[in-house]
Amino acid sequence: MRVLIAPDCFGGTLTAREAADAIATGWREAKPDDVVVQRPLADGGPGFVDVLHAALDGDIRYIIVTGPLGTPVEARWLSVHTNGTRTAYIESAEACGLHLIPADLRPQTCETATTRGVGELVAAAAVDNDVIHVGLGGSGTTDGGAGMLAALADAGVDLTDISLVAASDVENPLLGPHGAAHTFGPQKGASPEAVERLEAKLAAMDVLKPVADISGAGAAGGLGAALLSLGATVTSGANLVRTLTGLDAALDDADVVVTGEGSFDWQSLRGKLITAVAGGAAERGIPCLAIAGQVSVGRREMGAAGVQDAYSVSEHVGSVQKAIEEARDSVVATAQHVARQWSR
């Protein structure tokens, strides 16, 4: 069989490249005669720059920016110049990612964490680029992009002649039960009371009101809405990566595709990478399987998204703790199990 391995990162444990390698290793150990091809992916969140750098002929640029807690962090962005067009790819998580905030500090910082560093990245990229893609996902912030907007204003950046694109990993609006505060705030340490305060703060930002209901406005704690207020267009980060990495050509040659991420849940069905991969597989009539740290999507829901079956690493190895502490070995073992079930 020809097997395409195309996962996202397993948040906090394995990068997309490490996850792809672990799945491929397990599959080859179980079915050594199969042809296995790896295409690590991203949906705009962590790994966005690494995955695109591996696929595109571009240069990584480094810059010190303001981190989510106000302290300096080193961030990267990718510059690609082709056919006279200069394009930058920014990963917002490099400047305001949840991984940059210690877990024990998140309840105290969830209302003050800033996206200022993202603005500093955009300002740097604006110097010599015509198009700027900002990958959204994995943020530790819910400031509605206020920090980014302030940084751009302070730097006097003129984006008039620059095409700004928000590469979103979700389809959520800014406000309401499916908005930035209510959906993602608890993941960033916000208590129910803090969620309500964050919701009120986002609702009070006049600059965001005209774009609050647009799909993707709630991405990265409202950073999507701030980019929209600057005239950005919104695109699916997963579909953007799918196009730029040549995933479709790889799918054309595959008999089965295996994707995955840290948690396969209802959010995975709202614009994240698994749905983009499954959609491409469905177009070709090939099965799409998912391997995830945890699986909470029902069989009917995953089937509607184009996923034939999903396998929980934590269930396979016996516990969430083991799946995290022995991440690579656990994914390898799960992939062996999947290969034995699906390979002819």
Side-chain angles (χ1 to χ4, degrees):
M1 287 186 69
R2 295 167 298 178
V3 185
L4 175 62
I5 310 296
D8 199 348
C9 65
F10 281 50
T13 57
L14 298 172
T15 66
R17 186 175 299 182
E18 290 168 344
D21 183 68
I23 295 170
T25 296
W27 196 289
R28 290 190 181 106
E29 289 177 354
K31 295 291 179 176
D33 292 333
D34 287 350
V35 177
V36 178
V37 174
Q38 299 180 47
R39 282 288 189 281
L41 300 174
D43 56 16
F48 184 65
V49 165
D50 280 336
V51 166
L52 291 181
H53 185 221
L56 304 175
D57 183 16
D59 299 319
I60 292 288
R61 308 283 181 86
Y62 294 84
I63 183 175
I64 301 298
V65 300
T66 303
L69 302 185
T71 53
V73 298
E74 185 178 67
R76 304 165 303 153
W77 54 281
L78 175 64
S79 181
V80 179
H81 293 186
T82 56
N83 300 322
T85 299
R86 304 169 301 173
T87 305
Y89 298 93
I90 289 171
E91 182 180 317
S92 61
E94 288 266 322
C96 68
L98 187 62
H99 68 284
L100 297 173
I101 306 175
D104 61 334
L105 294 183
R106 292 171 189 171
Q108 303 100 278
T109 62
C110 62
E111 296 181 67
T112 57
T114 179
T115 54
R116 186 173 183 86
V118 180
E120 294 164 354
L121 277 169
V122 172
V127 172
D128 62 352
N129 284 279
D130 309 301
V131 182
I132 300 176
H133 291 78
V134 183
L136 304 177
S139 79
T141 55
T142 315
D143 73 345
M148 179 193 73
L149 295 174
L152 290 172
D154 292 345
V157 177
D158 183 6
L159 298 174
T160 304
D161 297 324
I162 293 176
S163 296
L164 198 58
V165 181
S168 178
D169 68 332
V170 296
E171 301 169 347
N172 302 65
L174 179 65
L175 304 172
H178 298 297
H182 283 281
T183 302
F184 307 114
Q187 300 172 7
K188 302 170 186 181
S191 65
E193 295 77 16
V195 165
E196 294 304 326
R197 290 192 294 270
L198 287 167
E199 177 81 357
K201 185 182 295 185
L202 293 173
M205 293 179 66
D206 290 338
V207 69
L208 304 185
K209 289 178 180 179
V211 299
D213 294 331
I214 297 177
S215 175
L223 184 58
L227 289 166
L228 284 165
S229 76
L230 294 172
T233 57
V234 177
T235 189
S236 162
N239 285 332
L240 175 68
V241 172
R242 172 181 168 179
T243 300
L244 294 176
T245 59
L247 179 65
D248 286 279
L251 284 166
D252 288 340
D253 292 330
D255 296 313
V256 61
V257 58
V258 184
T259 185
E261 61 181 345
S263 179
F264 185 24
D265 54 27
W266 69 270
Q267 292 180 29
S268 306
L269 307 179
R270 296 181 64 91
K272 285 189 171 286
L273 185 127
I274 283 181
T275 55
V277 176
E283 291 166 5
R284 293 159 176 79
I286 62 175
C288 177
L289 314 174
I291 294 176
Q294 298 183 72
V295 176
S296 57
V297 175
R299 188 166 293 276
R300 180 179 299 177
E301 290 83 1
M302 73 174 69
V307 178
Q308 270 64 41
D309 213 342
Y311 298 82
S312 167
V313 176
S314 59
E315 287 186 11
H316 184 75
V317 301
S319 72
V320 173
Q321 183 177 359
K322 184 174 181 180
I324 293 173
E325 293 178 352
E326 303 174 19
R328 175 178 167 78
D329 290 345
S330 296
V331 172
V332 169
T334 306
Q336 290 173 338
H337 170 69
V338 176
R340 294 187 187 105
Q341 287 198 330
W342 280 89
S343 183
R344 293 188 294 265

